[in-house]
């Protein structure tokens, strides 16, 4: 064993560490190491396990982990001693490891004595990311043992495992830190472990560092020792039982701000020293939201108290971070744009984003950390809940942010994905790391949240809240499945109580309700797609029919799906009553009594249910007339829902486009931001579509129509940050569109603002809500583009930089777009974490969509290396670039490329989503382009007939 020990000691020496003796609770090295012995002959050994999931006969109880990262040579060494409970007799310990150099493996008995005098062989199965350690002396079932491993690795240059990150100071100095991101399957990249969510254990973590750095982990530091060579060793308190993907540690030189909640939770927010001032809003929000969650769940923040009866939790802004944030227990990590807030450069939307992300990650401390899904097929139990709790918590704690205005958008995005053939059930099979990564998608997050929203309305707020409290208490520090949630909500309501609109809670009905709730919710979580409910008036009754809604297949097509049935909690409102009527639809066809005197019916009140509605017969005409005559008879959510449903039905060929366009003809009278922006969003989408397709007559007529029709509301906008959050959101989006459409007053004002800003050497503070619009106009000139790129390299605000990058990517000069993509690939000026967003920005530019797609094809292997197959970034790149295609030729080109990377594409569900999206775009053009052209021509003639020369007069 001499060569192994020599290598380890050499590495320790290189890293500036002198090994010191440790107490038995530390994992620095096994007690009483044996004399060097020759290794066992491994020639006759083969890897003992063939499955992706680990065997269940060994359970880890406690990890003692010691790490020493060297931020100069960008590598680290470590040791781990894992206390094991052996269930069955075996000679093998199988666990996860990926990219680690394991130099020593030893098995110890309960008294820490070695089971073998020989070096134990470590067999590797890279395909399954597993290692197996062979013990010549069998481990006995029912006994405890210790597995001791010495290992080392380079600090990763991506975004997973234990990886390096850098930031630049205002003086140009580059500083390095080391951070972790383990979800879903990357703890195994940092240390050997049993890397599955149901295999929970306690962790005792120690980290060696220089005095200039700070070490952070899930728990607070319990003891710090100064070593002989001047290094510090921080020993953290023992963690609660948790899954490996929630372990985290950071070594950095950050500064922090702190505050304490009413219940004694000390919250600290960390950031790079020169961004310290941008942490104050996050601290205030985190304290407020933590206090809300403790009250709502009626469960204290689920980490143990430490010194002075205080619970510690940290939020850290990491300069290089792929996702938005990560809920590591007690050490939540964020992308800087998701945590830092600068009042002078951050818009109202930026503030809402930061608040929502903090709310999401803090909700995870209960949903995900305290109670973890048993396996990744039910990741929606984590992500759907956290997404929905954003809305519940922020609506209560920050009502002025109007977070409810965004809930419908969340569901609309889910429906967009769910109305494609390539969608999947909320709960889906996922085994390989790539499949697991793909589970973190729109279905888990958005659809999961919207189904929970529907369930909450079905059960009532009180029953829903008490049910999830039961769920959290019953499965604390453990794992759960879908069925466990339904069990916790079992005391809900029988159909007759739901129909009557009363509160529904009946112990006598518990067994029946349990069965009904399970049956009902299985139709939403185990079945693909979103239902379409068609309603038609027949005398005094409303006749109902349900079917799966698809935008890529028409009911007359042979491929139309027929075997779909949901239990739909229908709600509806009529003109004869202010009450919300309820009906549980459990069959393909049904009917309800509404009365002969009813004039109009609006189904799915405030879109509390996750389904679309189609009004047969005169139903749509009735609603069009209602919106025209008295749109406030419906809530703003109902108006928004009607607009969304109409345009979705036009995409599917179920409603004519001119009817949908007539429906939004009332928008000139609309005073609420949400329906106004919803209608405007469809017109903008059509404009960008025909602009990209280079259809000049439709492009010009649509641009002219939008600017004419919305002239009044455009002219009312001020170039400031004044007003409510809703008013500021409208201003930001409306002025951005107006300038993009070439509106002269908009362009002139934006250019003036840009010139003044540049003349001030960028010291002038632009209104944050219009900054991106101003930059985009300024970026169209060579000098403006060059100035923005220079300022981008110097800015210390990632939010500000994102606005600049978006503006740079709006240039009509393809050479500039190509240069941006090159800078993104280099990863110096434009960070690699922003590369996927940059590619999508370029793809959305009419001059850049083919350029972006060519770039993806050329550098596909590089992109996969940077982001990992199945990651959000890879999915974002694929959907963002191919989603701009509208022709059969482009569909063929994409198909050919996916065939050329078949080995990788076959592992990805997102490739089929991309193909479906293009097919949907092609069908839209075939079904609706002619109608859009005719409708615009008609509008032009009508305006001319009213005496105007054109729509702008």
């Amino acid at each position: 064993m001499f060569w192994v020990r020599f290598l380890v000691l050499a590495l320790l020496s290189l890293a500036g560490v002198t090994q010191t003796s440790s107490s038995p609770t530390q994992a620095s090295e096994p007690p009483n190491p044996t004399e060097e012995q020759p290794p066992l002959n491994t020639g006759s050994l083969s890897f003992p396990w063939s499955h992706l999931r680990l065997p269940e006969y060994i359970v880890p109880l406690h990890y003692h982990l010691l790490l020493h990262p060297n931020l100069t040579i960008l590598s680290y060494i470590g040791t781990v001693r894992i206390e094991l409970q052996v269930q069955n007799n075996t000679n093998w310990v199988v666990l996860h490891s990926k990219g680690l150099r394991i130099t020593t493996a030893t098995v110890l008995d309960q008294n820490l004595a070695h089971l073998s005098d020989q070096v134990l062989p470590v067999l590797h199965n890279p395909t399954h990311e597993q290692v197996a350690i062979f013990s010549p002396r069998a481990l006995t079932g029912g006994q405890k043992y210790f597995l001791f491993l010495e290992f080392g690795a380079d600090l990763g240059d991506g975004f997973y495992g234990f990886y390096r990150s850098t930031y630049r100071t205002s003086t140009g100095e580059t500083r390095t830190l080391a951070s972790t991101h383990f979800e879903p399957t990357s703890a195994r990249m940092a240390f050997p472990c049993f890397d599955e969510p149901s295999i929970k254990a306690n962790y005792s973590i120690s980290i060696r560092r220089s005095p200039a750095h700070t070490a952070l982990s899930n728990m607070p530091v319990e003891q710090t020792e100064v070593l002989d060579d001047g290094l510090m060793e921080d020993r953290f308190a023992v963690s609660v039982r948790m899954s490996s993907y929630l372990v985290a540690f950071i070594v950095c030189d950050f500064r922090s701000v702190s505050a304490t909640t009413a219940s004694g939770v000390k919250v600290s927010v960390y950031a790079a020293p020169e961004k310290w001032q941008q942490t104050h809003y996050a601290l205030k929000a985190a304290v407020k939201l933590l206090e809300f969650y403790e009250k709502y769940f009626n469960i204290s923040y689920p980490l143990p108290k430490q010194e002075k009866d205080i619970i510690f939790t940290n939020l850290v802004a990491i300069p290089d971070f792929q996702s938005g944030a990560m809920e590591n227990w007690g050490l939540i990590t964020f992308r800087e744009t998701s945590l830092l807030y600068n009042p002078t450069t951050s818009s109202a939307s930026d503030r809402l984003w930061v608040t929502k992300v903090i709310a999401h990650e803090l909700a995870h401390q209960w949903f995900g950390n305290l109670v973890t899904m048993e396996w990744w097929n039910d990741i929606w139990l984590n992500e759907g809940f956290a997404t929905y709790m954003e809305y519940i918590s922020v609506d209560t704690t920050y009502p002025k942010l109007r977070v409810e205005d965004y809930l419908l958008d969340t569901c609309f995005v889910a429906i967009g994905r769910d109305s494609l053939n390539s969608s999947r059930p909320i709960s889906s099979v996922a085994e390989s790391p790539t499949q697991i990564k793909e589970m973190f998608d729109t279905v888990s997050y958005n659809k999961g949240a919207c189904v929970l929203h529907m369930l909450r309305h079905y059960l009532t707020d009180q029953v829903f809240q008490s049910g999830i409290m039961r769920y959290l208490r019953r499965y604390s520090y453990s794992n759960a499945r879908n069925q466990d949630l339904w069990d916790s909500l079992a005391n809900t309501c029988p159909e007759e109580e739901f129909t009557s609109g009363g509160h529904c809670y009946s112990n006598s009905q518990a067994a029946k309700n349990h069965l009904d709730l399970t049956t009902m919710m299985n139709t939403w979580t185990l079945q693909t797609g979103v239902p379409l409910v068609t309603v038609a008036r027949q005398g005094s009754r409303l006749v109902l029919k349900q079917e799966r809604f698809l935008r890529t297949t028409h009911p007359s097509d042979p491929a139309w799906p027929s075997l779909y049935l949901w239990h739909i909690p229908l709600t509806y409102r009529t003109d004869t009553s202010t009450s919300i009527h309820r009906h549980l639809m459990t069959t393909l066809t049904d009917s309800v009594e509404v009365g002969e005197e009813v004039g109009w019916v609006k189904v799915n009140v405030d879109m509390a249910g996750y389904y679309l509605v189609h009004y047969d017969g005169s139903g749509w005409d009735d609603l069009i007339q209602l919106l025209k005559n008295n749109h406030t008879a419906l809530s703003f959510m109902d108006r928004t829902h009607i607009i969304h449903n109409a345009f979705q039905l036009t995409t599917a060929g179920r409603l004519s486009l001119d009817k949908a366009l007539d429906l939004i003809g009332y928008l000139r009278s609309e005073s609420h931001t949400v329906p106004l922006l919803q209608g405007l969003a469809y017109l903008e989408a059509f404009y960008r579509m025909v602009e990209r397709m280079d259809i000049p007559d439709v492009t010009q007529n649509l641009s002219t129509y939008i600017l004419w029709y919305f002239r009044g509301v455009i002219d009312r906008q001020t170039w400031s940050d004044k007003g409510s959050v809703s008013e500021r959101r409208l201003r930001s989006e409306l002025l951005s569109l107006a300038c993009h459409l070439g509106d002269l007053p908009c362009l002139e004002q934006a250019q003036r603002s840009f010139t003044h800003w540049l003349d001030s050497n960028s010291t002038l503070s632009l209104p944050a809500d219009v900054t991106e619009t101003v930059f985009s106009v300024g970026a169209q000139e060579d000098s403006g583009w060059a100035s923005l790129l220079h300022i981008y390299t110097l800015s210390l605000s990632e939010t500000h930089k994102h606005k600049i990058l978006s503006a740079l990517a709006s240039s009509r000069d393809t050479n500039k777009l190509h240069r941006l993509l090159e800078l993104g690939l280099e990863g110096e000026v434009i960070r690699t974490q922003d590369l996927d967003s940059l590619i999508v920005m370029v793809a959305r530019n009419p001059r850049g969509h083919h350029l972006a797609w060519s770039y993806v094809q050329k550098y596909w292997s590089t992109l996969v290396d940077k982001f990992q197959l199945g990651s959000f970034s890879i999915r974002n790149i694929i959907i963002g670039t191919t989603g701009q295609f509208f022709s059969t030729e482009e569909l063929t080109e994409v198909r050919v490329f996916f065939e050329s990377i078949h080995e990788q594409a076959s592992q990805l569900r997102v490739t089929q989503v991309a193909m479906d999206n293009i097919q949907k775009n092609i069908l839209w053009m075939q079904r609706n382009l002619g109608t859009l052209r005719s409708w615009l021509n008609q509008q032009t003639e009508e305006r001319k007939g009213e005496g105007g020369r054109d729509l702008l007069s």
Side-chain angles (χ1 to χ4, degrees), residues 852-876:
W853 173 240
S854 297
Y855 175 90
V856 170
Q857 294 179 85
K858 181 177 180 180
Y859 294 108
W860 172 255
S861 296
T862 303
L863 294 172
V864 171
D865 288 342
K866 288 179 180 293
F867 295 118
Q868 291 199 2
L869 198 66
S871 66
F872 167 79
S873 294
I874 290 295
R875 300 198 308 271
N876 191 33

Side-chain angles (χ1 to χ4, degrees), residues 69 83 166 301 394 455 457 494 530 571 598 797 823 855 925 949:
E83 184 179 358
T166 62
Y301 183 67
V394 176
L455 182 60
H457 277 262
V530 57
T571 55
V598 166
S797 168
L823 290 173
Y855 175 90
M925 298 297 289
R949 288 175 300 168

Side-chain angles (χ1 to χ4, degrees), residues 613-641:
V613 183
H614 178 38
Y615 299 90
D616 223 351
S618 64
W620 281 110
D621 293 328
D622 294 340
L623 291 173
I624 290 171
Q625 199 61 40
L626 173 65
L627 291 174
K628 182 179 179 181
N629 297 336
N630 181 24
H631 67 274
T632 57
L634 297 173
S635 69
F636 81 88
M637 284 188 169
D638 274 337
R639 302 195 297 270
T640 309
H641 179 239

